């Protein structure tokens, strides 16, 4: 299931919007993190630097075969052995990864989906209790050069509310500026909800 207005600009334009390694650092990804999931990897803009930062595996997923092919080409060019690419509708099918198995999840430019809470349930399921969920989206500004239309573009407070409803807490600042056109927020699974989930599994 593609998200609304999910078309990608050409790669050169897309790359001009980001400083990927700096963005990941601001959003809490470090070398101590193990496995990572990139939900909607696109051109591999964040898949590649994430794989170069961590010692574990980056699970890069997208519903578009062209995006998987573009990321695969970059993985091969960089001689990376720790990227697992999946052509997958993770909104409808999930990731296929075990519960509590990854340390970091990326939801970048994707929470304008029709059912953001449904989308947030999968990182909640697969993240370790001390894992991090990094959300990034276009600024709520009609003058950005790209981004979803304003009627579906989420404000930062909407992303926070959805994540909290899905079982996350803020892991730091309420909003991280990611110039020139984005903001980010980092969450961690709510400890009480993880405890309750484990208790339920033990019954």
């Amino acid at each position: 299931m593609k998200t609304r207005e999910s078309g990608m600009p050409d790669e050169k334009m897309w790359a001009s919007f980001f400083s990927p390694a700096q963005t990941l650092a601001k959003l809490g990804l470090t070398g101590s993190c193990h496995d990572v999931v990139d939900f909607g990897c696109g051109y591999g803009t964040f898949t590649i630097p994430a794989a170069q930062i961590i010692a574990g595996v980056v699970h890069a997923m997208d519903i578009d075969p062209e995006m998987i092919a573009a990321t695969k080409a970059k993985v091969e060019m960089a001689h990376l052995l720790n990227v697992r690419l999946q052509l997958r509708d993770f909104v409808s099918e999930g990731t296929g990864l075990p519960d509590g198995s990854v340390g970091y999840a990326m939801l970048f430019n994707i929470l304008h989906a029709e059912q953001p809470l449904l989308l947030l349930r999968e990182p909640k399921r697969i993240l370790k209790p001390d894992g991090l969920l990094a959300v990034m989206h276009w600024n709520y500004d009609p003058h950005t050069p790209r981004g979803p239309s304003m009627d579906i573009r989420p404000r930062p407070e909407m992303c926070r509310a959805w994540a909290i409803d899905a079982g996350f807490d803020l892991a730091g600042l309420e909003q991280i500026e990611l110039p020139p056109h984005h903001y980010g927020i980092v969450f961690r699974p709510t400890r009480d909800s993880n405890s309750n989930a484990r208790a339920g599994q033990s019954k």
Side-chain angles (χ1 to χ4, degrees):
M1 182 187 300
K2 285 192 175 183
T3 57
R4 297 179 289 182
E5 299 186 21
S6 56
M8 291 283 282
D10 69 80
E11 188 171 356
K12 185 175 181 181
M13 174 186 282
W14 185 251
S16 72
F17 299 144
F18 307 103
S19 299
Q22 293 179 6
T23 295
L24 291 172
K26 286 184 176 182
L27 296 179
L29 183 64
T30 67
S32 63
C33 179
H34 202 255
D35 291 357
V36 168
V37 179
D38 188 356
F39 287 86
C41 62
Y43 293 116
T45 306
F46 294 93
T47 300
I48 304 305
Q52 293 168 333
I53 291 168
I54 68 167
V57 171
V58 178
H59 301 274
M61 303 184 183
D62 207 289
I63 196 172
D64 189 333
E66 292 185 8
M67 297 296 99
I68 293 294
T71 302
K72 181 179 179 182
K74 291 186 179 65
V75 168
E76 292 174 350
M77 186 177 298
H79 304 291
L80 292 169
L81 301 177
N82 63 334
V83 176
R84 304 289 181 268
L85 290 162
Q86 285 194 54
L87 179 65
R88 193 175 183 96
D89 182 353
F90 52 77
V91 178
S92 298
E93 302 170 4
T95 60
L97 297 170
D99 293 359
S101 61
V102 303
Y104 191 90
M106 296 187 268
L107 288 179
F108 291 176
N109 299 314
I110 200 171
L111 277 183
H112 57 283
E114 290 186 19
Q115 296 178 289
L117 281 171
L118 178 63
L119 181 55
L120 283 157
R121 285 195 194 115
E122 186 63 3
K124 177 65 173 63
R125 182 186 70 80
I126 63 174
L127 276 171
K128 297 176 180 179
D130 60 349
L132 295 177
L133 167 66
V135 169
M136 179 175 68
H137 221 297
W138 291 91
N139 290 335
Y140 194 79
D141 176 359
H143 301 296
T144 56
R146 291 285 300 192
S149 57
M150 299 306 293
D151 61 322
I152 64 170
R153 188 182 306 199
R155 298 173 183 268
E157 56 267 28
M158 295 168 68
C159 292
R160 288 197 296 272
W162 291 332
I164 289 168
D165 283 350
F168 290 95
D169 290 325
L170 280 171
L173 298 175
E174 290 194 355
Q175 183 174 330
I176 300 165
E177 299 301 327
L178 301 171
H181 305 300
H182 289 79
Y183 65 87
I185 312 172
V186 181
F187 302 93
R188 59 169 43 97
T190 302
R191 291 189 181 278
D192 287 345
S193 66
N194 277 321
S195 299
N196 292 339
R198 289 194 298 272
Q201 291 169 2
S202 65
K203 289 180 180 179

